Each structure stands twice: as C-alpha cells, then as structure tokens.
Amino acid sequence: MIPEPCSHPNDELMPYSDDDTEEEPDTGVTPDPTRSNGESRDTVRRDYSWQVKANDQYFHQQPQFKSPMLLGFKRSKYKGNAIRTYKYNPITFLPLNLLEQFKRAANFYFLVLLILQSIPQISTLSWYTTLVPLLLVLGVTAVKDLVDDIARHRMDNEVNNRRCEVIREGRFKSTKWKDIRVGDILRLRKNTFVPADVLLLSSSEPNSLCYVETAELDGETNLKFKMALEVTHRYLQEEGAMANFDGLVECEEPNNRLDKFAGTLLWRNSRYSLDAQKILLRGCRIRNTEFCHGLVIFAGADTKIMRNSGKSRFKRTKIDSLMNYMVYTIFLLLILLSAGLAIGHTYWEQQVGNWSWYLYDGQGFSPAYRGFLSFWGYIIILNTMVPISLYVSVEVIRFVQSYFINWDLQMYYPEKDTAAKARTTTLNEQLGQIHYIFCDKTGTLTQNIMTFKKCCINGHRYGDSRDGAGQLQSHPQEVDFSWNLYADGKFSFYDHYLIEQIRGGKDPEIHKFFLLLATCHTVMVDTSDGQLQYQAASPDEGALVTAARNFGYVFLSRTQHSITLSEMGTERTYDVLALLDFNSERKRMSVIVRESGGNIRLYCKGADTVIYERLHPSNPKREATQEALDVFASETLRTLCLCYRDIDPQEFEAWNGRFLEASVASTRRDEALDQVYEEIEQNLILLGATAIEDKLQDGVAETIARLSKADIKIWVLTGDKKETAENIGFSCELLTHETIICYGEDTSALLQTRLANQQNPTGTSSHPSLGMKDPSIQGTRDRALIITGSWLNEILLEKKKRKKRKRLKLKVPRVEEEKSQRAEPSKEQQQQSFVELACECRAVICCRVTPKQKAMVVELVKKYKRAVTLAIGDGANDVNMIKTAHIGVGISGQEGMQAVMASDYSLAQFRYLQRLLLVHGRWSYLRMCKFLSYFFYKNFAFTLVHVWFSFFNGFSAQTAYEDWFITLYNVLYSSLPVLLVGLLEQDVSDKLSLRYPRLYVVGQRDLLFNYKTFFLSLLHGALTSLVIFFIPYGAYLKSMGQDGEAPSDYQSFAITAASALIFVVNFQMGLDTSYWTFVNAFSVFGSIALYFGITFDFHSAGIHVLFPSGFQFTGTAPNALRQPYLWLTMVLAITICLVPIVAQRFLAMTLWPSESNRVLQHHGVDAHQWRPHPTAFHRGIPSRRSAYAFSHQRGYGDLISSGRSLRRKRAPLDPGIPTLGMLDP
C-alpha cells in the first residue's frame, strides 16, 4: 500500500512529533474575544491532573500527589528545581564505579583469573602477575571517571546555586535555585534567567507585559513578549498581595512542547484561561523589563527545556564495539588453545607421565583430571592474549588526546576568549569516521546578525562601492555618517552616491522609500544613556529600521495612534490610522498613516511573490526592480519589496468600518481580518526593494567545501522558514546555481514511485501517472533535498501513526485491525526509502522542524545507513539532536550554554569543525588503529611462545619466561613506545591534512582497523613467536659455552627468548612510527635499557637474599648475557623477524602507495585551494529568494494598536467597547 497525502502540508507551520504529547492539548475553554488580553472566565470546570496552589507547600504533599516507590515509600510527583547531571557522590563512588568497571568483560575476566591464580593445584603463575595490572587499570579508570564527575558536580552547583527572590514568610528573600518549589512566588529582575516554568502574574511594564529572550529555547535572539492576566496585573503588584495570593492553577501534565500550554487559574471564585502567552519558560532571559512576578508551575526535570533535552545516551565508538568483538574472539581462541593443550597433556600423561617414576608428585590424579587442571593452568598462562593493559592504555590515549584538542590554539576564539573543549574522553577516534553532519542554522552557520547591504529605489540599484558622483571605486571607502546625530556607529555602508541623493532631497521616491522603512514596522524604541535602543520582533525588521535611522529617517517614538520621526533633522509626527500586522500566510505588513496635509497613505512591505500580485498595472519600474531582485538573490541576500498607495478619505472610512467589525468578530477573527486587509492592499505603487545579509560566520563556506571533499554529507536541520534556510544554503555554498532542488511534494512523488517499483518489479503500477522509471534525479550527483517539518511528518507517516493508534483504542472489526497491522510495515519501508533518497543527495535541508524531529532524522540515518553521525548546534532546541547523534558538538555562541552542556565537544565557531575532524579526528583514528594493531601483535608474539614451549614440556602449563618478566612486559618493557605512537603519531602534518581532505576517507571506510588487520596482527604475532622460540631452541639444542659449560638450561633459554622479544617488538614499533621525535626514540631505546636494568637487578644475589621465594633466577642474566653465542642468536632472531617487514614496507610504498604516502611525495605541488563561488548574475531564480523573515509568529502589531505596550495609568477592569486603538488581538 502506497500512502498518499490527502492534502499538501503547510510549509509555514511548525509540526509536532513529540512522543509524550501526541495530540493537541485541549485548553478546555473558549476565550471570549471581547475581553482584553485573551482572558476569559469559564464556569465549566475541566479535569486537569496537574494542580499548583500558590504559597501553599502543604497542598503539594497530599497523598493524591504522591507516587509509590520501593519498600512502600512514596514521593511527591512534583520535582524539585535542582538539576543533577553527575553520576556519583562520595558514598556511592567506589561501589558504583567498581560495578560499572566490572561490567566490562575483560575486567571481570581478570577478576575471575585472579581467583583462579590463588588455587595452587591450578596455577603455575604467581597471583601478583594479574593483580598489579588489574589494580592499575581499575585505578586509572576510576581517577578519570572521578575527574569527569567532579566537573559535572561543579557545573550543576553553578546552576543550582544561582539566586532569585522568592516569597518566604511573607517577604521576598534571596533563595538558591535548587530550593525553589512548585507553588512559589518569584520576583525576577532585568537580564536574569528564569529558573523554572512560571505563570506570569505581573510586571513593571504597562499591562504587565514582559519581554523575554528565548535564544536558549528556539535559537532566536529577537525579543518576544509575554502578558499576564489582567486580573493578576491589577491586584498582584505589591509584596503583601503576592504573599496573600492563594490562586489554584490546574493545567496539563509536564511535556516538551515549547509553545503550547493549556490550563486555568481559579481565584476568587472565578476561573481564567491560561495559554503559552502567559508562561515564562526556564532558560528565557528577562529583557527590557525591570522586574516581574511569577508562580512556579513546573520545576527542575519537569520544565519544558529539560523535557526537550532528550535522554542521555551512553555513547561508544565503532572501534570500541569492534575491539569488544575482537576480545571475544581472543577469548574463544584462548579456550580452544587451552582445551587443545589440556588434551595434549592428558595424552602425554597416559603415554609418558604415568610410566616415568621421576615425575611422580605424590598425588595419584588420573590423566583426565590432570588434563582438567592443565586446562585451567593454560587459561591463566595464556591470559596475556587478552591484554588487560589494553583498556588502561586506550583510556590514557583518549584522555591526552582530549587535552590536545583543548590546547589547540588554532581552535581558540580570542573575541570571546573561548577555546575548543573536549567534554568527553571516549569518542576522539570516532571524529575520524564521520559520514553525516547534522547542523543547525541560526547561530551555528550564521551569526544571527542582519545587515542592510543594498537597495533598489525607483529602478536604480544602490549599495555598491561608489563615490558621490556615482562612479565605482576600486578601493571602498566607508560612508561618514557624522552629519547624522542619531547615526549608529556600528553601521557600515560604501555607496556615497546614495547619501548624496538623500541629502540633496531631489528625488521624492527616495524620501518615500526611507519614510516607509521608518514608519511601516512594529519596532519598540527605548532610550538608554541618551541612546536610542530598538527592540524588534525579528532581526530583519530591526536591520531595516536601523538602516533608515542612519540614512536620516530616525524612528523616535510612538503612541497608540501616532509615530514620531526625525526626517533629515526635522521632527515630524504622523497619525497611525491602522496597523496591518504580518503573519506567515500574508507574508507582508502595512501601515496606514495620515500626513500633516491630510493625505492618507498606505505603506506596505513584503515578499516579492505577494507584492507583485497586488501591484497596479501601470508600474513603470516593475521590470527594473525585478532585475534588481534577481541580482540581490544571486548574491544570497534576503530581499523585500516596498510599495505604497494613496487612499481617498471616503474609501478609508468605508474600509475602516469593515475593519472595526472584523476586529470584534466572535469567531474566525483572524480570517476576517485577513480578508479586510486584502481589500485595501491592492493597486500598489512599487517603490523598490531592500537587500539584507544574514551574515554567515567566518569560514563557513570554506569549511563546508572541505568537509564535502572529505566525503562528509551535511544536512541542515532548522526551525527557520523554508525560504530563509534555502537562502543560507546558497550563501554557504551548500547549494549552487547548478543544484537540482527537490521539495516536499517532489519527494513525496518520488517515494511513491519507488515504493511502486519495489512492489511491482514487473513494471505494472497502480499509479498510471507515475512512470516506472525511478525518478531519483538520475544523471547528476549535484542535487539537494529541501523539506519542511510538515512534509516530513506526512512522508514518514507520523500523523497516520497517531490516528491509527487513536483508532485502535476503539472497538473495530477484526478485518480493520488486520489491515492496520498490514499497513504498519509500510511505515518502515517508507522511512527507509526516504533515507535512501535523501542520502543520494549532495545536501539536505530540513526546515520548520521541531527539536524532536531533528532527533528523529538523525535516528533514521543511524538506523538505516549505519553511518557515523555528528550533530552540531548552539541552542536548547538542538540538545535532543546532539544527544541522539554518535557525536554531539555544541557551539558556545549567543544562545546560551544548553547545547554545550549536552555536547561531547564544544567549539566557539563552526569553522573550527574542519580542524576538529580533518586533523584531530583523523589523527586520533590513525593513532588508535596503529596502537591497537601493534598492541595485539606484541601480545600474540609474547603469549604464543608458551604454546610452542608446551610441546617440549609435556603440556604441563609451564611458563616460558620468568614470572617477573610476564608481570612487567605489558606494564614497563613494551608499553611506552606504543603509548607514544597512540599519542603523537602523524602520517602527514595538520596543514596537509586540511589541504588534502580526501585523506579522511580511510576512517570512513574502516580501512586501518578491522577484522582483516586483526587477523594479520595475529598471524604476524604467531610468526614472530615461532622465530622467538625456535631460533634460540635450535641454537641451544647442541651447543657449548666458552667456559665449557652448556648454556642451554631453561633459565638461560628464558632470558634469551625474552631479550630477543624485547628487541623485536620495540624495533617493530620503530618501523611502524611515521612521526619521529626525541620522545619516541627515547621510549624505544629506553624500554630496552629499562628491561636489561631491571633484569640484572632481579637476577642479583642481593634481592634473592631478601626475597628468596619471589626471585629465583639468581645470576642467570649476568651469566647468560656474557656469552657472545647468545647475542648472535638474538641478532639472528631479530633479523629474521624484521627484514621481511622492511622489504614488505618498501614494496608497498613503491608499488601500492597509500593516499598519505602520495601526499608526502607530492606535497610540494599546490593543492586545490578553496575559493568563494562566483556570484555572477543569474536570471530565473526567484524560487531561491528569501521571502524576508519577519518572525515565526505575529509581531508587536497587536500591542501597538491596542496601546497595551504604552505606559499610562492603569484602568479598572472593564471590557468596555472596543475602538480602533483598543482592539483585542
């Protein structure tokens, strides 16, 4: 069954796919539109399960609000406000950490091994050979975990110990955030963060407005307003009134919907409707409001920002998983070897042992039982095949690599004194294996700063670098705005010709153009230290008003019915007759003003697609403006059309009557207003267009280009509008003019055809309109997918899932149930087809998506592509995505620290991502792979010597080396060289790593460490162990020393084999090292010297006298190592082991050079350098023009036209008769 959407989703709407809030919350009341501020009294009580009583902590301790726990205890369902991200406390650290560590198979294995070694009948090896390495592993890991948890404790304490004012004992007292409880009354000051989700009761602003910055929630830095109920605004202003407030709030349970809230306030025998407009969410910051009061509704983990954080996931790398499987393989190999050798010992006992009287040990064990004991003895002896020091070495390497990232000055951002930080020490090598990057837009790719760059007025383009005469300048000179007392010093402009035109005052169209920018907006103005401060509903609108201000048309102030400007130094006031606010469907806004001469004029600005439909037929500058719009769009600027219309007084009076009638409509008021707006916004005269730059962060385009060459695909997931997201895609060169773009409707059709092809392989289709050729935009790799959240839900059947789940609760016939069950697999098929289609594209942009949808997209790619993913963002709306991806990166930008706190790595700028991946990630992967390959090799070479020795000792589990050599081999004798390779190895420099991004591909393809390399290391180690054993064995078989004594005793043989092994494995590490430093050389030769130094000490007579049972090789090393014959034997063994490796490396570099070898051979040749994509003029690209982002929601128009934002005397509660200036939204 192929799902077909019944109707096209609305691209402008933000859909919801949240698991815990699948259906729209029912507010339970119908607001009375005649009441101001959306307030209504409702006598019908709704059943809400969440109840909050103000100033009454005992209320929340009632039995009905408690949930059962273990052992019959109960706890309140109302969470405290303390945030806890740490894992341990002083009491639980030791038991929980040990429990966590012994969950690792290797650690638990060595604990069992230690117990076995304490049994004399089994073990031929001393217990300390396992205890010392095990304690070292557990201790290093515990210290690392302790350091990480202390950092989490500090961060939690920093947040929990912030202070705010809370009503305590009838007065506001300073209280820590962690002590805030549900039902508390708070006083929040200007520029402070909101500590919990609170109901706004009153504020210092008119009508208890409160302006908040929601950057940590939705990534937008523009201000939003909240407004209290009028009844609480009127009666809850003083401290005493707050202390006596006893209202009861009944609302929905805690959920993760940031812009949804439904509830009621019961106070003084009346019930008032509550919505999201009256709620201040945790993480918001109070702006432009001296103080406000609020009632805590949700605290701590129940707040919406914490609900959006998603579950913390335990992340592990691909190499970790592969390493575990390899350890299991070694376990299996160990058991098979031990079983084989135990069988050999049983056979030997039957054939030889029972008949050799000199081998009798006084215990009459049967051969089978002796074989059983031998099995466990070999399990102990061969335990070094499972290297216990592997884990501690890996932890040390990752820990130091993390500090290399922290110390990298090339990822330090001096403007904010912010360095890169690795917040985890377990994922470094995964940075070298990324396939997909999921990126937020606002604040991550962009600076979220809008700048007025160019404009077109009356068909003439302005904004290029020109002098006062209109001639282009080769060296741009910034315009001097010192003539304008109100100029903003941060504004930069380079077209002197436009300034001359403005100051000349000869072109009336230019006057109208900037007059429109100064009047047609919903910007709020404030004065701070004698300077004008603008607060806009969107950064675009603020940029336009700021531009008009610098060009001499300064917005000074406004009242409910007027707006005051300074026009080239002359102050003028215009009567505002109506304000036609923006919404996402209209894509425009208008203002109707009366000039001093009585003339009534409508000024309008909006997207070119809607403005051009409403222009008067006789617009002579229409084509010239269209050409300018295309030029601006080709430069990836956000465009906006400006127009006006003169209105007859009689026409306005007639229209105003219809406007007033629509404003007080009891039902479908918004639709009625839009229809009335449409009537007056006709036959417009085009003035021109503006072009605004949404400034990218430095180096974004270069970073994306380099990452693309590294075969990393970048998906942009943003809550912004489709046009805005698409425009940024062109700005950062994720999209080009040659890119074929598929939108939601195209994608839906493609998926339907794909499913039809899969279900009808013979070519017959139930969809005659769709050809059976898979139209997956074949023939080109330069294609992109742009899809909105609504289409995403439609395509992935998220909505249908909910409806189906809802229907299944009803009693339906069995046939319907079976159909539903058969339809369910198509959801999996649909999702998989979508992922395959999207992954075929060079770039994917998902816009208007919720935080939950961002995480869902990441999860789908992880599920169906099994690729390594990285998510990068800077706001709380990115936290879920960051936690879902294999690696999360937080940008410590303008949007707070929520993303950083949830991330694995934090950066100050997006451009540092290329160095994090292409340099640190690739190096970490290379180092870890070399480390693991060599580590397995040296342990196989060391351990398998015991196996060959078994054939000559009756399979009696006798060790081939001294006990102390076995204990210290992995700890001292061979650990430092391989550890330094894991820390310092480089195949090419950091500059070459960035210049040649294709070097990154080896990590994506898992070429350096896989089962093939593992078995090659096993084979290499086995061959080395054969040489290490049989060369000394053959040399000692029939030999005589210089003194006439035979040196072929067991202890001399053990020293010879051990010495040869130390030389071979350390020299082998030298051959594997590409990046030599003094430290590497010292580690190789120092390890050899350390071995001989410790060996001579342990074989001295003095230590034997002190510890006779622990040191039994007395005098062996001094006696054996003075024989030249022994040294020649070691030289022969070393040569046979290393010469073939040298020959193989030489042939490989000559005949089959790797990518890094080719780079090193030709690094003198200039590589392709990134250059900005030429911004040549292209016609016919209106679809990629940004439709100007006013805001995701309505602006401040309702506040201005109603007068609720203006300071005046508070009036008593009286609905009154609405007028033009007192209209309710």
Side-chain angles (χ1 to χ4, degrees):
M1 183 179 110
I2 302 174
E4 297 182 11
C6 58
S7 62
H8 282 196
N10 188 345
D11 286 343
E12 299 294 338
L13 295 179
M14 182 82 79
Y16 279 87
S17 58
D18 303 13
D19 293 339
D20 54 350
T21 53
E22 293 181 343
E23 300 172 18
E24 292 290 335
D26 185 9
T27 59
V29 292
T30 304
D32 181 1
T34 62
R35 299 190 63 83
S36 64
N37 194 16
E39 178 181 347
S40 66
R41 297 179 182 174
D42 186 18
T43 57
V44 180
R45 177 163 180 165
R46 308 294 301 185
D47 291 328
Y48 289 113
S49 56
W50 192 267
Q51 296 182 336
V52 177
K53 186 72 176 292
N55 291 316
D56 187 355
Q57 292 304 319
Y58 297 105
F59 176 82
H60 306 105
Q61 301 301 322
Q62 297 182 64
Q64 64 265 32
F65 299 132
K66 292 188 176 183
S67 54
M69 295 174 58
L70 293 174
L71 303 177
F73 291 100
K74 292 186 177 182
R75 66 177 177 185
S76 174
K77 72 173 185 177
Y78 299 96
K79 299 287 194 303
N81 202 45
I83 299 299
R84 173 185 169 181
T85 62
Y86 60 85
K87 297 165 62 176
Y88 311 111
N89 59 43
I91 297 175
T92 62
F93 172 72
L94 195 58
L96 287 183
N97 188 261
L98 287 176
L99 179 64
E100 192 172 306
Q101 291 202 57
F102 281 120
K103 286 181 180 178
R104 283 184 172 177
N107 288 347
F108 183 74
Y109 164 75
F110 280 101
L111 179 63
V112 173
L113 200 67
L114 184 62
I115 297 172
L116 290 176
Q117 280 184 277
S118 63
I119 304 174
Q121 291 84 355
I122 293 177
S123 179
T124 59
L125 203 59
S126 302
W127 54 269
Y128 52 77
T129 58
T130 298
L131 180 63
V132 172
L134 180 61
L135 289 178
L136 185 64
V137 169
L138 297 177
V140 170
T141 305
V143 169
K144 184 191 75 67
D145 291 343
L146 180 63
V147 170
D148 289 345
D149 210 54
I150 288 174
R152 285 190 285 265
H153 269 279
R154 287 174 178 168
M155 191 168 294
D156 289 346
N157 289 335
E158 181 184 350
V159 174
N160 292 332
N161 290 327
R162 292 177 183 173
R163 290 186 169 272
C164 73
E165 296 177 75
V166 183
I167 289 283
R168 292 284 187 265
E169 299 174 356
R171 299 182 59 83
F172 280 109
K173 295 182 179 180
S174 179
T175 305
K176 293 179 179 179
W177 278 23
K178 64 182 180 182
D179 297 327
I180 294 174
R181 299 163 296 189
V182 170
D184 282 344
I185 304 294
L186 311 181
R187 175 185 287 163
L188 305 174
R189 301 284 182 177
K190 184 177 180 181
N191 296 329
T192 61
F193 283 101
V194 180
D197 291 353
V198 304
L199 169 66
L200 180 63
L201 299 176
S202 62
S203 79
S204 58
E205 295 300 298
N207 293 284
S208 285
L209 280 173
C210 180
Y211 297 97
V212 295
E213 182 183 83
T214 60
E216 288 203 16
L217 297 178
D218 55 18
E220 296 185 15
T221 55
N222 51 289
L223 298 189
K224 298 179 176 61
F225 66 88
K226 304 289 183 177
M227 185 181 293
L229 289 167
E230 190 164 352
V231 63
T232 59
H233 157 69
R234 178 177 178 184
Y235 294 111
L236 298 180
Q237 292 290 338
E238 303 300 327
E239 185 178 68
M242 293 288 175
N244 294 325
F245 178 57
D246 60 351
L248 175 66
V249 172
E250 297 178 342
C251 62
E252 61 192 16
E253 291 283 330
N255 58 66
N256 59 359
R257 289 192 166 184
L258 293 175
D259 63 346
K260 298 288 183 182
F261 182 83
T264 59
L265 169 65
L266 179 63
W267 188 40
R268 296 183 174 179
N269 300 321
S270 297
R271 191 176 293 273
Y272 305 90
S273 175
L274 303 177
D275 55 27
Q277 200 63 17
K278 300 169 181 63
I279 301 297
L280 304 179
L281 300 182
R282 179 179 178 128
C284 294
R285 177 174 281 189
I286 307 298
R287 297 290 196 188
N288 290 21
T289 306
E290 290 302 322
F291 64 85
C292 66
H293 302 115
L295 169 66
V296 177
I297 304 295
F298 304 127
D302 288 334
T303 57
K304 292 182 180 288
I305 189 173
M306 297 304 295
R307 288 272 177 158
N308 265 288
S309 297
K311 295 180 180 178
S312 296
R313 301 167 185 247
F314 175 71
K315 297 183 179 181
R316 58 192 310 178
T317 65
K318 287 177 69 176
I319 285 183
D320 260 337
S321 301
L322 186 60
M323 193 165 64
N324 279 343
Y325 283 116
M326 289 177 178
V327 169
Y328 296 146
T329 304
I330 296 174
F331 280 155
L332 180 62
L333 181 62
L334 172 62
I335 292 172
L336 292 177
L337 274 176
S338 300
L341 294 172
I343 292 171
H345 182 66
T346 302
Y347 177 79
W348 185 87
E349 282 287 342
Q350 289 174 342
Q351 301 298 320
V352 180
N354 283 347
W355 307 103
S356 302
W357 59 269
Y358 52 86
L359 295 178
Y360 182 66
D361 56 3
Q363 297 178 355
F365 296 147
S366 67
Y369 184 71
R370 289 182 183 273
F372 173 75
L373 295 179
S374 178
F375 170 79
W376 293 108
Y378 275 113
I379 289 288
I380 294 172
I381 289 175
L382 302 180
N383 74 80
T384 48
M385 288 180 64
V386 184
I388 187 171
S389 57
L390 171 67
Y391 290 97
V392 69
S393 300
V394 166
E395 294 294 342
V396 169
I397 290 172
R398 288 172 172 169
F399 183 76
V400 177
Q401 290 288 353
S402 300
Y403 275 91
F404 287 163
I405 293 173
N406 298 347
W407 293 338
D408 191 344
L409 292 178
Q410 296 190 51
M411 294 197 294
Y412 171 73
Y413 190 51
E415 292 185 20
K416 293 188 176 179
D417 190 28
T418 305
K421 183 172 179 58
R423 295 172 47 81
T424 181
T425 59
T426 59
L427 302 174
N428 296 331
E429 66 272 13
Q430 190 105 310
L431 291 170
Q433 299 180 280
I434 302 299
H435 293 85
Y436 293 89
I437 293 177
F438 299 91
C439 179
D440 178 43
K441 180 192 76 71
T442 306
T444 303
L445 297 177
T446 68
Q447 300 180 30
N448 206 22
I449 299 174
M450 307 298 172
T451 307
F452 182 90
K453 299 295 288 186
K454 296 184 178 182
C455 61
C456 173
I457 305 174
N458 201 24
H460 300 288
R461 294 202 300 270
Y462 301 95
D464 294 323
S465 181
R466 296 188 293 182
D467 58 19
Q471 301 298 317
L472 291 174
Q473 293 178 315
S474 57
H475 301 288
Q477 294 183 354
E478 194 170 328
V479 170
D480 181 12
F481 288 103
S482 59
W483 54 271
N484 184 355
L485 297 177
Y486 293 101
D488 180 8
K490 299 178 183 178
F491 184 75
S492 298
F493 200 71
Y494 298 92
D495 193 343
H496 295 260
Y497 183 62
L498 177 58
I499 303 301
E500 293 299 323
Q501 294 289 334
I502 293 173
R503 300 187 70 179
K506 298 179 180 179
D507 190 344
E509 300 300 311
I510 292 180
H511 169 76
K512 293 175 185 175
F513 183 91
F514 287 104
L515 182 62
L516 187 154
L517 292 182
T519 56
C520 186
H521 58 78
T522 59
V523 172
M524 303 287 193
V525 64
D526 192 12
T527 304
S528 176
D529 298 329
Q531 298 293 322
L532 294 176
Q533 301 287 337
Y534 293 150
Q535 300 297 339
S538 76
D540 304 63
E541 192 161 64
L544 292 177
V545 177
T546 300
R549 166 186 176 177
N550 284 276
F551 290 122
Y553 292 78
V554 187
F555 165 50
L556 296 177
S557 64
R558 74 186 331 144
T559 66
Q560 186 174 341
H561 301 294
S562 67
I563 185 169
T564 302
L565 313 177
S566 172
E567 299 176 16
M568 302 304 293
T570 304
E571 191 169 308
R572 289 192 175 92
T573 298
Y574 295 88
D575 294 333
V576 178
L577 304 180
L579 189 62
L580 286 56
D581 201 6
F582 164 87
N583 65 37
S584 59
E585 294 181 0
R586 283 167 39 77
K587 298 184 180 180
R588 64 190 184 279
M589 76 160 293
S590 302
V591 61
I592 302 176
V593 298
R594 179 183 284 116
E595 299 178 344
S596 57
N599 182 41
I600 299 176
R601 179 169 290 170
L602 177 143
Y603 290 112
C604 180
K605 66 181 181 184
D608 58 321
T609 52
V610 296
I611 295 297
Y612 267 61
E613 295 173 354
R614 291 160 177 80
L615 291 179
H616 192 277
S618 59
N619 264 281
K621 303 301 180 182
R622 181 177 187 141
E623 295 300 324
T625 305
Q626 179 66 54
E627 184 175 335
L629 287 169
D630 289 339
V631 171
F632 296 156
S634 70
E635 298 173 2
T636 68
L637 300 174
R638 297 154 72 105
T639 57
L640 181 71
C641 284
L642 310 184
C643 51
Y644 73 98
R645 176 194 171 193
D646 290 323
I647 305 174
D648 291 334
Q650 294 81 5
E651 180 185 358
F652 173 76
E653 290 299 327
W655 176 85
N656 191 37
R658 296 192 297 275
F659 174 53
L660 291 173
E661 183 179 347
S663 301
V664 296
S666 58
T667 58
R668 306 179 67 86
R669 186 164 59 115
D670 288 342
E671 290 84 347
L673 282 172
D674 287 347
Q675 185 175 355
V676 173
Y677 293 165
E678 186 75 27
E679 295 175 6
I680 200 71
E681 292 172 330
Q682 298 293 335
N683 297 321
L684 304 173
I685 306 300
L686 188 63
L687 274 174
T690 61
I692 291 178
E693 180 185 27
D694 186 359
K695 297 190 71 173
L696 290 174
Q697 292 185 12
D698 296 336
V700 166
E702 178 184 2
T703 299
I704 288 177
R706 277 188 173 151
L707 294 177
S708 297
K709 288 177 184 174
D711 206 19
I712 299 174
K713 293 187 178 180
I714 299 175
W715 293 25
V716 177
L717 310 179
T718 177
D720 218 332
K721 293 170 38 178
K722 181 170 71 174
E723 296 87 350
T724 307
E726 182 177 345
N727 208 46
I728 289 298
F730 281 97
S731 297
C732 64
E733 298 189 13
L734 198 59
L735 308 175
T736 65
H737 302 303
E738 292 77 23
T739 302
I740 299 175
I741 299 177
C742 280
Y743 296 97
E745 54 273 20
D746 308 320
T747 307
S748 182
L750 289 173
L751 289 178
Q752 291 180 36
T753 304
R754 278 197 167 198
L755 291 174
N757 289 341
Q758 294 170 6
Q759 296 176 6
N760 301 278
T762 58
T764 58
S765 173
S766 59
H767 294 263
S769 60
L770 299 172
M772 292 316 297
K773 198 179 204 176
D774 187 358
S776 304
I777 338 169
Q778 298 173 354
T780 176
R781 282 181 54 83
D782 193 7
R783 54 182 180 265
L785 172 64
I786 298 180
I787 188 168
T788 61
S790 300
W791 272 109
L792 201 60
N793 267 357
E794 189 76 22
I795 289 172
L796 301 180
L797 306 179
E798 288 297 316
K799 293 181 179 178
K800 295 183 180 181
K801 174 184 173 184
R802 290 193 187 115
K803 290 179 182 177
K804 190 184 306 175
R805 187 182 298 173
K806 204 171 178 181
R807 285 198 299 266
L808 288 175
K809 295 177 181 178
L810 304 176
K811 292 184 179 180
V812 295
R814 185 174 181 82
V815 177
E816 291 294 326
E817 186 175 342
E818 291 175 354
K819 286 183 179 179
S820 298
Q821 292 175 352
R822 285 198 300 267
E824 187 66 24
S826 71
K827 178 174 184 283
E828 297 274 331
Q829 194 175 9
Q830 183 95 343
Q831 290 180 345
Q832 186 170 1
S833 297
F834 168 76
V835 171
E836 290 174 354
L837 177 65
C839 291
E840 291 172 5
C841 299
R842 187 170 68 89
V844 176
I845 298 177
C846 300
C847 40
R848 304 300 282 150
V849 289
T850 66
K852 199 77 174 182
Q853 282 183 308
K854 290 183 179 183
M856 180 186 69
V857 171
V858 176
E859 190 63 48
L860 286 177
V861 173
K862 286 173 61 179
K863 178 179 179 181
Y864 293 112
K865 299 302 289 185
R866 299 192 179 278
V868 181
T869 58
L870 180 147
I872 179 169
D874 68 327
N877 55 337
D878 305 314
V879 167
N880 210 344
M881 170 178 73
I882 286 172
K883 288 186 175 181
T884 303
H886 290 100
I887 291 180
V889 178
I891 299 291
S892 51
Q894 300 184 21
E895 302 184 17
M897 298 295 290
Q898 289 294 325
V900 170
M901 291 174 67
S903 67
D904 305 305
Y905 299 87
S906 65
L907 303 173
Q909 294 276 284
F910 179 82
R911 68 177 182 269
Y912 298 143
L913 185 63
Q914 61 177 318
R915 186 170 180 85
L916 182 68
L917 300 185
L918 302 184
V919 177
H920 289 284
R922 201 181 69 81
W923 278 353
S924 294
Y925 174 73
L926 168 73
R927 292 163 178 170
M928 187 60 70
C929 292
K930 274 197 173 185
F931 167 81
L932 291 173
S933 297
Y934 175 78
F935 207 99
F936 285 124
Y937 156 73
K938 77 181 183 69
N939 279 279
F940 288 136
F942 166 67
T943 306
L944 294 180
V945 172
H946 295 300
V947 176
W948 316 134
F949 185 48
S950 296
F951 289 91
F952 300 93
N953 63 22
F955 307 98
S956 58
Q958 173 66 39
T959 59
Y961 309 112
E962 179 194 8
D963 287 358
W964 280 108
F965 178 79
I966 295 173
T967 303
L968 299 178
Y969 174 77
N970 276 319
V971 177
L972 293 179
Y973 299 154
S974 62
S975 60
L976 192 57
V978 67
L979 193 62
L980 289 175
V981 165
L983 293 175
L984 304 175
E985 179 67 352
Q986 302 175 17
D987 54 347
V988 298
S989 67
D990 56 341
K991 293 181 180 178
L992 291 178
S993 295
L994 291 172
R995 186 181 296 181
Y996 298 93
R998 289 293 299 173
L999 290 171
Y1000 188 83
V1001 174
V1002 293
Q1004 296 171 323
R1005 297 176 182 173
D1006 300 321
L1007 296 180
L1008 298 185
F1009 187 70
N1010 46 47
Y1011 259 104
K1012 177 183 176 182
T1013 58
F1014 170 73
F1015 283 113
L1016 286 176
S1017 296
L1018 172 58
L1019 177 62
H1020 187 194
L1023 293 175
T1024 299
S1025 67
L1026 282 169
V1027 174
I1028 293 299
F1029 177 79
F1030 282 104
I1031 292 296
Y1033 176 78
Y1036 282 0
L1037 189 59
K1038 294 180 180 180
S1039 62
M1040 185 69 66
Q1042 288 180 334
D1043 54 3
E1045 297 178 0
S1048 53
D1049 60 283
Y1050 160 69
Q1051 293 186 344
S1052 296
F1053 171 82
I1055 289 297
T1056 306
S1059 301
L1061 177 68
I1062 293 300
F1063 276 110
V1064 168
V1065 296
N1066 281 284
F1067 285 168
Q1068 177 68 50
M1069 190 71 267
L1071 291 176
D1072 287 340
T1073 301
S1074 303
Y1075 184 69
W1076 275 95
T1077 65
F1078 168 77
V1079 180
N1080 293 85
F1082 177 80
S1083 70
V1084 171
F1085 295 104
S1087 295
I1088 296 173
L1090 184 66
Y1091 159 72
F1092 283 109
I1094 292 178
T1095 300
F1096 274 94
D1097 285 341
F1098 283 3
H1099 292 190
S1100 66
I1103 199 167
H1104 174 72
V1105 172
L1106 295 175
F1107 307 100
S1109 62
F1111 300 91
Q1112 299 175 355
F1113 274 50
T1114 308
T1116 303
N1119 181 60
L1121 295 178
R1122 63 185 175 86
Q1123 304 280 350
Y1125 185 81
L1126 184 148
W1127 287 99
L1128 289 174
T1129 301
M1130 286 193 289
V1131 169
L1132 179 62
I1134 294 167
T1135 303
I1136 294 175
C1137 286
L1138 296 183
V1139 168
I1141 301 301
V1142 174
Q1144 184 267 333
R1145 300 286 167 84
F1146 174 77
L1147 290 175
M1149 290 183 64
T1150 305
L1151 302 178
W1152 309 285
S1154 65
E1155 190 75 27
S1156 58
N1157 289 333
R1158 286 194 290 266
V1159 167
L1160 287 172
Q1161 292 170 8
H1162 303 95
H1163 70 272
V1165 181
D1166 287 339
H1168 173 72
Q1169 297 292 322
W1170 176 84
R1171 293 179 177 84
H1173 197 278
T1175 56
F1177 172 71
H1178 290 260
R1179 288 186 178 275
I1181 50 172
S1183 62
R1184 54 154 287 197
R1185 187 177 306 133
S1186 173
Y1188 178 76
F1190 287 80
S1191 176
H1192 294 325
Q1193 58 184 14
R1194 286 185 179 270
Y1196 299 148
D1198 288 339
L1199 293 180
I1200 296 167
S1201 61
S1202 66
R1204 295 199 299 269
S1205 64
L1206 306 176
R1207 296 188 180 277
R1208 55 188 172 86
K1209 264 189 169 179
R1210 295 191 176 95
L1213 277 172
D1214 183 5
I1217 301 174
T1219 63
L1220 178 61
M1222 293 288 291
L1223 296 176
D1224 182 53

